[in-house]
Amino acid sequence: MVQFGTNPIAWANDDDQSIGADIPTERILDEAGRQIGFDGIENGHRWPEDPVELRETLGAYGLKFISGWYSTELLTRSLEDEIAAFQPHLAKLKENGCKVCVTCETSNAIHSDPTIPVNDKPSLSADEMAAFGAKIEEFAKYMESEGISLAYHHHMGTIVESPEEIDAFMAATGPATKLLFDAGHCFFGGGNPEEVLAKHIDRVAHFHAKNVRPAVAERVRKDRMSFIQGVISGAFTVPGDQEGAVDFKPLLTQLAAKGYDGWIVIEAEQDPNVRNPLLYQTLGLATLKRLAKETGLI
């Protein structure tokens, strides 16, 4: 069954916690759950670390804990050390009945550094990607043994950003490693979302419905802005925003044809002082539900 969720970064950013710092946690939960009506919400720095308290806190607002970003450091530490570091996050996922773990390698990522242009992201050689993919696959097999699918998040400012890097990563990993397809990061990273999704849809386990304002994204590249500067400038937005360039109907059509039954999450960080989260998230959910019905996804 397809469910619709959001991410608290629309209200309070995780990479730059000063963004939205004045918004009370209770307002985030009330707007997401009681007012807008999302089924669930992803992880954020505001949520309790205790797995049971997390479930109860979100549940009080009618929200499920969907999953959450887990930062791997497999380029710099062993698989055994990664598994050990993962245990607190795994406990949260299992207590909350999560089926996927949003995963991204961050040992050398630059997306959270406001001083580094997103253009200067790290990259791997073919041999390095093959070695990294082999370690991720082993980590994914471990998650699989615990009843969780590793959903790798291709992301701006990381080693898997461009469509070519997505292809290389997917080729370097095996069937245990799934893909979190993010329409916005795909577009911003130079890809055609319809083409990239079609190529890898058999391994897609999680879907982020992020939109992009192309004029802002182009300025981020041209002016050598950081990822955070791009966020504050409004590079991302929600489905249904007429300033956005991503057409979500063909993407949901593909998901429907494959019988996708996971989460569709609006993960679109914006400056809440400029773009009201309640209004934008309401627009995004209404758009996705309409398109989901039109395409037969729901």
Side-chain angles (χ1 to χ4, degrees):
M1 179 180 70
V2 170
Q3 297 182 87
F4 296 90
T6 187
N7 188 295
I9 57 175
W11 289 264
N13 197 281
D14 282 338
D15 293 319
D16 181 348
Q17 295 184 12
S18 69
I19 302 172
D22 60 321
I23 297 178
T25 299
E26 293 75 15
R27 174 186 153 189
I28 299 173
L29 292 169
D30 182 69
E31 290 185 357
R34 294 172 179 167
Q35 296 193 49
I36 303 174
F38 284 106
D39 299 312
I41 195 165
E42 288 187 334
N43 202 25
H45 69 278
R46 298 284 192 88
W47 304 160
E49 288 297 324
D50 180 77
V52 175
E53 185 182 357
L54 173 64
R55 174 171 51 79
E56 293 175 346
T57 298
L58 301 186
Y61 293 86
L63 294 165
K64 300 174 184 177
F65 181 63
I66 299 171
S67 180
W69 178 286
Y70 175 74
S71 296
T72 56
E73 296 183 15
L74 283 168
L75 292 175
T76 58
R77 64 185 174 193
S78 68
L79 176 63
E80 293 73 22
D81 287 345
E82 193 66 73
I83 290 173
F86 178 58
Q87 294 310 302
H89 195 74
L90 176 62
K92 287 196 289 188
L93 297 176
K94 295 178 78 171
E95 173 64 32
N96 286 273
C98 298
K99 301 301 182 184
V100 300
C101 177
V102 176
T103 306
C104 185
E105 177 67 22
T106 62
S107 60
N108 61 356
I110 55 92
H111 63 282
S112 60
D113 191 328
T115 69
I116 302 178
V118 73
N119 295 351
D120 294 348
K121 73 171 210 66
S123 61
L124 299 182
S125 68
D127 288 344
E128 289 170 335
M129 181 64 81
F132 171 66
K135 290 181 76 174
I136 281 285
E137 179 68 9
E138 290 304 310
F139 190 39
K141 289 178 181 177
Y142 168 75
M143 283 197 199
E144 197 171 56
S145 73
E146 296 288 340
I148 305 289
S149 292
L150 186 156
Y152 195 88
H153 193 339
H154 57 97
H155 196 285
M156 299 298 297
T158 74
I159 55 173
V160 184
E161 174 187 289
S162 69
E164 294 78 16
E165 288 168 337
I166 296 172
D167 290 348
F169 173 78
M170 298 304 286
T173 55
T177 301
K178 308 304 181 183
L179 183 68
L180 184 163
F181 180 80
D182 188 303
H185 281 282
C186 178
F187 183 94
F188 203 159
N192 179 312
E194 291 180 51
E195 294 177 359
V196 175
L197 179 60
K199 187 178 293 186
H200 301 294
I201 194 167
D202 288 340
R203 288 169 65 185
V204 170
H206 203 55
F207 187 94
H208 276 178
K210 186 196 297 284
N211 208 344
V212 177
R213 295 183 176 91
V216 180
E218 290 171 10
R219 189 167 77 249
V220 171
R221 294 294 199 189
K222 180 182 177 182
D223 294 346
R224 293 184 53 78
M225 298 165 65
S226 70
F227 178 76
I228 293 296
Q229 288 173 323
V231 167
I232 295 173
S233 298
F236 296 124
T237 186
V238 301
D241 186 340
Q242 294 185 358
E243 293 184 272
V246 178
D247 184 356
F248 284 90
K249 188 170 185 177
L251 303 180
L252 298 195
T253 298
Q254 289 189 49
L255 294 181
K258 285 295 182 178
Y260 180 80
D261 64 354
W263 284 91
I264 295 179
V265 178
I266 300 176
E267 195 233 21
E269 56 266 57
Q270 302 191 76
D271 183 346
N273 291 323
V274 178
R275 296 174 173 92
N276 185 296
L278 178 59
L279 297 178
Y280 275 84
Q281 294 286 305
T282 298
L283 169 63
L285 181 58
T287 300
L288 288 176
K289 284 190 171 182
R290 174 179 58 80
L291 294 176
K293 289 179 181 177
E294 290 178 4
T295 60
L297 184 60
I298 60 173

